[in-house]
Amino acid sequence: MSAAAGEQRRFIAIAPRGLSELLAQELRELAAASVAVRSTSVRFEGDLEMGYRACLWSRIASRMLLVLEEFEAPDAEAFYRQALTFDWGAHVDPHGTLACDFSGALAGIDNSHFGALRLKDAVCDRLREQCGVRPDVQLQRPSVRLHAHAHAGRVTLALDLAGEGLHRRGYRREGGEAPLRENLAAGVLLRAGWAQAVARHAPFLDPMCGSGTLVIEAAMIAARRAPALLRDYFGFLGWRGHDAALWQRLCSEARAGALSDVPSRIRGTDRDARAVATATANAQRAGVAALVRFERCGVGEVREEGTQGGLICTNPPYGERLGDEAAARSAHAELGRVLREHFAGWEAAILTAAPGAARELQLRSHRVHELWNGPIACRLLRIDLAAPGEAAGAAADDAAETATASAETAGARMLANRLRKNLQRLGRQARREHISCYRLYDADMPEYAFAIDRYEALNGAAVHLHVQEYAPPASVDVQAARRRRREMLATLPRALQVPPERIHLRVRRPQRGARQYQPLRGGALRAPGGSAATGSAATAVRSAGRPFAVAEAGLKFLVNLDDYLDTGLFLDHRPTRALLRERARGVRFLNLFCYTGTATVYAAAGGARESLSLDLSNHSLQWASENFRLNGLDGSRHRLERAECLEWLRAAAGGTTAAGGGAATRGSAATDRTAGVGSGAAAGSRLRFELIFMDPPTFSNSKRMQGVLDVQRDHPELIERCTQLLAPGGQLIFSTHAQRFKLAASIAERWRVVDLSRATLPFDFARNPRIHHCFEIRQRA
């Protein structure tokens, strides 16, 4: 391989709307580096082999761009001058053919056609100057296709490695009246879990297969066939930097690794004989004819083969394909009936562009994804058919209503404007403070009673929204509340450019006991506004939480937006954590009710010489251990122990022990000190801490406790016990989220108390000054 081939390069993979996260995952599995997700693209880095592998193996990407140059250009003339200086001779053969594309916005360029012309002029003028000859323009399958994208006065020049859409696999000569693009079909299958179903040898069925795209793509995934192996054209074949030997090696490896047989039964049916003939011919050209079976069969006649549950994935005909809405509704109704009656135990993934017709399925979707088939907006409904009789209609109705909820009502337009303004104003402040997670909206408009927190994954990989709906009082009309919820969920993706699959919804109600720290039961939100959201303490849009890391003030923390009422990071405690960091240098630090250990991480970052963090929840301690690991904390100096904190304080302050022994917990389960008696200190001794942080739950009656904790009732004893453990000159920072909390008068009489509630209120919680109470407590001089 040449040195140029091994050189690190930058790439941009273009994704169908709604599939950029899946594309990023695919690229990571191909060993791409520095993967960064955008709404319709994924940036990554690697050598030329990485770029070729992405072209060959990406099932989801629409195009693959190799970045050539980036520069500032405020207007069209500056764009032309900068492009003119680039060494095009290193990439473009002046005797070949050329096509240019332009996207984005730039002063002086009113349309993409004019932008493409200016790029073409710059390339041809430069080559004529260098070589005395210029390439001919050829829009279809040129030797080289170049792309320029302008955004905020910055232009990216790129080579289109694919040359034409990567959805063109090479096996389809004709499709149905509204064919499903191949890369979208693959994305639907991967989103529906087909790769995991293959691993358990599950069968596959498309009962409305049309030209067979879903069936063929399912077979190619099962057989590990590279999706682009049949293509006879790529944009890099005429590129002067092309490494033909490298490309041939990768293609040979792909052919050798393909399976000739698969254990899964893969079949497609359709009532149209011509569609079945087309699908059969397409499968033959794709090389998977031996792996699939097509039959002419009306959807009402389709039956399960065998007893093993599998995956049904289909794109039912809609108005454009059938000619009228009534026919589309009838097709969906028949499909729903057959699935309910004959495919119990299967999973279904139904891609529909007819939200009204989707109601006719009368099936409950546990996940809804917004996707686009070219210019056509679609919804992917994922349905568990394990007990279809329980699912009659409610969620399909709500999913369709949500999909069609108008974001154009006067209230929704006002909401969108407020969200955009908040993002601009609060985002600017967050960037100044190096904050990637903050509250974006907190019932700013009373009729939209939601709190919206913005979480940006580490290195800007993705932005998520954590949306909490304040449970409406009984006086509020239920239908009105549902309508507002639908308007909110329809507005968020458009206003904030966050895809629906990264929007996580909660209905927030006051919780008692340990429920706020327990996993949510009941799975994913069946449909926004449906019974699942209103009938449980909180319900998530996503069915299975996937923790990810975020950054805050130079530190890293894991968050989980799906599985618990709280995410693992109390955003309103940012200033409190910063205060602990400022006061921690050289101290021994105690963190009571430590939850996920974020306060300890801050204290360690501030120079605490050692720390002890206690919590009753094993899961919280494991989470804290991961946060310690992320930030490189020394487990021999910063220990985690499992203990019921009030009992531990009674034992420690009473002089029976100081739980100073326990083993380090970094990377392992926490030491169990449930009774509060440790093994590392002699009886009668007592630990002293220069800094203690205590943030107890408002109320807890966990089964693992010996009694019930009520912070309003018990805080005098908690504080008294803590002060007995303070070293001379030490301080206790006491915080609580109990909104009606009143500090006992006896505390202020005995100790020097400073109310820090206002001082620790972050800028993004200014609308809710009662979010927490915080006090500094010291011995009186």
Side-chain angles (χ1 to χ4, degrees):
M1 183 184 297
S2 66
E7 174 189 348
Q8 287 296 108
R9 305 167 190 260
R10 291 172 295 156
F11 301 92
I12 303 172
I14 308 300
R17 276 189 281 180
L19 290 176
S20 54
E21 284 283 357
L22 272 182
L23 175 56
Q25 179 182 332
E26 185 179 57
L27 291 169
R28 291 188 187 101
E29 291 171 355
L30 291 172
S34 303
V35 177
V37 183
R38 303 293 184 265
S39 59
T40 57
S41 66
V42 179
R43 284 181 172 257
F44 64 99
E45 296 179 3
D47 56 13
L48 183 59
E49 180 173 337
M50 179 64 237
Y52 281 175
R53 284 189 185 278
C55 287
L56 182 62
W57 280 100
S58 176
R59 302 184 189 278
I60 299 171
S62 301
R63 289 186 180 272
M64 200 68 62
L65 306 179
L66 168 63
V67 176
L68 301 177
E69 183 69 292
E70 291 186 283
F71 52 77
E72 302 293 330
D75 54 33
E77 186 57 32
F79 166 52
Y80 169 79
R81 288 197 307 269
Q82 290 276 29
L84 185 64
T85 64
F86 185 70
D87 182 14
W88 293 110
H91 301 278
V92 181
D93 181 355
H95 300 284
T97 56
L98 172 70
C100 293
D101 298 322
F102 180 90
S103 62
L106 195 64
I109 295 180
D110 297 326
N111 56 72
S112 58
H113 178 64
F114 181 63
L117 283 176
R118 294 305 284 158
L119 175 59
K120 183 268 298 181
D121 290 344
V123 175
C124 292
D125 291 349
R126 173 70 169 175
L127 289 173
R128 187 185 292 111
E129 177 185 310
Q130 288 180 314
C131 313
V133 65
R134 49 151 286 182
D136 293 329
V137 173
Q138 179 176 305
L139 299 183
Q140 301 298 321
R141 295 197 163 196
S143 303
V144 169
R145 182 180 294 275
L146 302 174
H147 185 88
H149 178 73
H151 176 70
R154 187 165 182 82
V155 175
T156 300
L157 299 179
L159 171 75
D160 188 338
L161 293 175
E164 62 183 12
L166 281 170
H167 69 279
R168 297 179 177 175
R169 311 287 206 224
Y171 63 75
R172 195 163 70 184
R173 296 292 184 266
E174 56 178 316
E177 295 174 9
L180 182 65
R181 289 192 176 186
E182 294 89 330
N183 62 325
L184 177 60
V188 165
L189 290 165
L190 294 173
R191 180 74 79 191
W194 172 236
Q196 293 75 24
V198 168
R200 61 177 188 271
H201 303 172
F204 176 89
L205 170 65
D206 181 353
M208 296 177 165
C209 69
S211 58
T213 306
L214 281 166
V215 176
I216 293 168
E217 292 293 323
M220 293 178 73
I221 292 171
R224 303 174 193 167
R225 304 281 179 98
L229 199 55
L230 296 175
R231 285 171 57 108
D232 59 2
Y233 169 75
F234 284 92
F236 56 72
L237 295 176
W239 172 47
R240 282 191 157 180
H242 176 47
D243 188 333
L246 171 60
W247 175 245
Q248 289 303 320
R249 175 173 66 80
L250 295 177
C251 290
S252 296
E253 291 174 358
R255 292 188 190 96
L259 303 178
S260 59
D261 192 16
V262 296
S264 296
R265 300 188 311 276
I266 303 173
R267 67 182 174 125
T269 64
D270 200 282
R271 67 179 185 179
D272 188 336
R274 290 175 301 175
V276 171
T278 298
T280 302
N282 287 342
Q284 189 70 41
R285 282 188 290 269
V288 297
L291 308 180
V292 303
R293 189 170 94 245
F294 291 105
E295 305 169 12
R296 183 184 179 189
C297 179
V299 68
E301 303 163 7
V302 177
R303 297 293 182 270
E304 178 181 10
E305 291 184 347
T307 59
Q308 181 185 9
L311 175 65
I312 292 173
C313 192
T314 192
N315 176 212
Y318 42 91
E320 184 176 333
R321 287 168 63 184
L322 284 181
D324 63 83
E325 179 71 14
R329 288 181 177 274
S330 175
H332 281 73
E334 188 172 25
L335 174 63
R337 179 187 62 78
V338 168
L339 297 185
R340 291 193 305 275
E341 294 179 2
H342 301 291
F343 287 89
W346 284 56
E347 290 280 332
I350 300 174
L351 184 69
T352 179
R359 294 185 179 92
E360 305 300 328
L361 290 170
Q362 296 188 24
L363 290 167
R364 187 183 301 278
S365 52
H366 63 82
R367 295 286 298 279
V368 180
H369 306 279
E370 183 176 354
L371 303 174
W372 290 77
N373 184 23
I376 304 171
C378 302
R379 300 295 184 273
L380 178 63
L381 310 178
R382 292 173 57 187
I383 300 163
D384 183 358
L385 297 170
E390 300 173 2
D397 282 349
D398 283 341
E401 289 180 43
T402 298
T404 57
S406 173
E408 298 304 323
T409 65
R413 286 194 297 270
M414 292 173 64
L415 174 64
N417 288 335
R418 176 63 64 92
L419 290 170
R420 293 188 188 103
K421 289 179 180 177
N422 285 5
L423 180 62
Q424 183 178 19
R425 176 175 58 86
L426 297 173
R428 187 164 51 242
Q429 179 73 17
R431 288 189 292 274
R432 280 199 294 266
E433 297 187 16
H434 305 288
I435 293 166
S436 66
C437 307
Y438 56 91
R439 177 146 295 181
L440 182 65
Y441 174 96
D442 198 354
D444 299 33
M445 299 170 62
E447 60 269 35
Y448 295 98
F450 296 83
I452 302 174
D453 298 326
R454 185 181 187 273
Y455 286 80
E456 183 174 325
L458 203 60
N459 299 322
V463 172
H464 297 254
L465 299 179
H466 187 252
V467 181
Q468 300 175 78
E469 180 181 11
Y470 296 114
S475 59
V476 173
D477 178 67
V478 174
Q479 292 304 317
R482 292 181 63 187
R483 184 176 65 254
R484 295 297 189 192
R485 186 184 306 134
R486 291 195 297 268
E487 288 181 357
M488 167 68 81
L489 293 176
T491 299
L492 286 175
R494 297 177 176 88
L496 300 178
Q497 299 299 302
V498 176
E501 62 266 24
R502 296 208 298 267
I503 297 175
H504 313 249
L505 178 67
R506 295 278 186 272
V507 177
R508 191 89 188 195
R509 293 182 172 84
Q511 298 299 298
R512 300 183 70 82
R515 288 173 61 188
Q516 69 192 95
Y517 306 115
Q518 293 174 354
L520 297 176
R521 308 301 178 188
L525 183 72
R526 271 85 174 162
S531 59
T534 57
S536 60
T539 314
V541 169
R542 294 155 61 94
S543 61
R546 178 174 294 179
F548 58 91
V550 298
E552 184 181 277
L555 303 172
K556 303 172 186 176
F557 300 106
L558 282 180
V559 296
N560 184 331
L561 307 189
D562 292 314
D563 293 339
Y564 298 85
L565 283 179
D566 293 307
T567 67
L569 185 66
F570 289 128
L571 299 186
D572 64 293
H573 271 179
R574 278 197 317 270
T576 307
R577 290 190 287 268
L579 180 146
L580 293 171
R581 186 178 196 168
E582 292 171 2
R583 301 184 181 187
R585 179 163 298 280
V587 307
R588 182 183 287 111
F589 177 67
L590 174 63
N591 186 0
L592 295 163
F593 307 95
C594 71
Y595 188 32
T596 59
T598 56
T600 304
V601 172
Y602 264 81
R609 69 177 186 271
E610 60 182 273
S611 69
L612 175 62
S613 302
L614 305 178
D615 202 281
L616 185 56
S617 165
N618 275 325
H619 182 76
S620 292
L621 292 171
Q622 290 165 2
W623 199 332
S625 180
E626 283 299 304
N627 283 334
F628 283 21
R629 183 187 60 78
L630 272 177
N631 292 279
L633 269 64
D634 181 354
S636 64
R637 295 191 299 115
H638 300 286
R639 294 179 293 107
L640 291 164
E641 291 189 6
R642 180 175 180 267
E644 196 281 284
C645 290
L646 182 54
E647 290 302 312
W648 185 93
L649 281 170
R650 287 168 177 163
T656 58
T657 186
T665 62
R666 182 182 175 195
S668 62
T671 305
D672 194 342
R673 298 278 183 261
T674 307
V677 179
S679 58
S685 67
R686 181 178 299 164
L687 275 181
R688 295 287 184 176
F689 299 91
E690 290 83 6
L691 181 60
I692 300 176
F693 177 60
M694 178 167 56
D695 180 31
T698 302
F699 184 92
S700 182
N701 58 357
S702 170
K703 294 178 181 178
R704 291 167 290 187
M705 293 179 58
Q706 296 183 20
V708 173
L709 176 69
D710 182 326
V711 71
Q712 184 61 61
R713 182 195 66 199
D714 296 329
H715 79 272
E717 181 183 1
L718 286 167
I719 291 173
E720 172 69 23
R721 300 289 184 182
C722 283
T723 56
Q724 293 174 22
L725 299 181
L726 284 175
Q731 57 189 300
L732 164 67
I733 305 298
F734 172 78
S735 180
T736 176
H737 284 99
Q739 292 200 352
R740 295 188 176 90
F741 179 80
K742 299 291 184 183
L743 189 71
S746 60
I747 301 297
E749 292 170 359
R750 185 167 182 184
W751 307 96
R752 184 161 65 86
V753 177
V754 178
D755 189 342
L756 299 176
S757 303
R758 285 282 183 181
T760 57
L761 183 69
F763 66 89
D764 46 323
F765 284 82
R767 290 184 54 82
N768 188 7
R770 296 172 57 196
I771 186 69
H772 68 238
H773 298 271
C774 186
F775 303 91
E776 171 196 295
I777 300 173
R778 297 175 183 258
Q779 295 175 339
R780 288 190 177 275

